[in-house]
Amino acid sequence: MFEFLTNIFYWLFLGAILIFTYTITHNAFSKEILSKQPNALLWNNSFIILNVILLIIVFVWFSWVAGISTLILAVIVVGITGRKTDKMIMKKYIDRRKLNK
């Protein structure tokens, strides 16, 4: 049931999925994405599609337990990255308000 933990390919797929998840979440709040520039949206959407394909490969190639554990780790990465990005945006906003006073 947990044979995937000893498979090097699972760890490579997991690393790629988590890196793409971090990149997608971090870039979602960039000014290029928020202003809907075509190239930035194209790159971010291609990362999302690639991440979904990698996740499907994990579900099919390894097992549903590997897929569920990968999804849980990806949700954790989204949460941590979202909080970090939110703090960064709020810090910029607060610093900008202090300068305007």
Side-chain angles (χ1 to χ4, degrees), residues 58-88:
V58 167
F59 267 102
V60 171
W61 192 359
F62 299 107
S63 68
W64 63 272
V65 176
I68 297 296
S69 62
T70 303
L71 274 176
I72 291 171
L73 289 172
V75 168
I76 291 170
V77 167
V78 166
I80 291 171
T81 307
R83 286 183 182 179
K84 184 176 145 186
T85 306
D86 182 48
K87 285 181 184 178
M88 183 178 63

Side-chain angles (χ1 to χ4, degrees), residues 31-82:
K31 62 182 177 181
E32 293 85 13
I33 297 291
L34 294 176
S35 65
K36 296 183 179 158
Q37 293 181 1
N39 286 338
L41 286 173
L42 179 70
W43 278 105
N44 207 35
N45 290 342
S46 63
F47 279 150
I48 292 170
I49 291 170
L50 182 61
N51 209 12
V52 168
I53 290 171
L54 288 175
L55 189 60
I56 290 171
I57 289 172
V58 167
F59 267 102
V60 171
W61 192 359
F62 299 107
S63 68
W64 63 272
V65 176
I68 297 296
S69 62
T70 303
L71 274 176
I72 291 171
L73 289 172
V75 168
I76 291 170
V77 167
V78 166
I80 291 171
T81 307

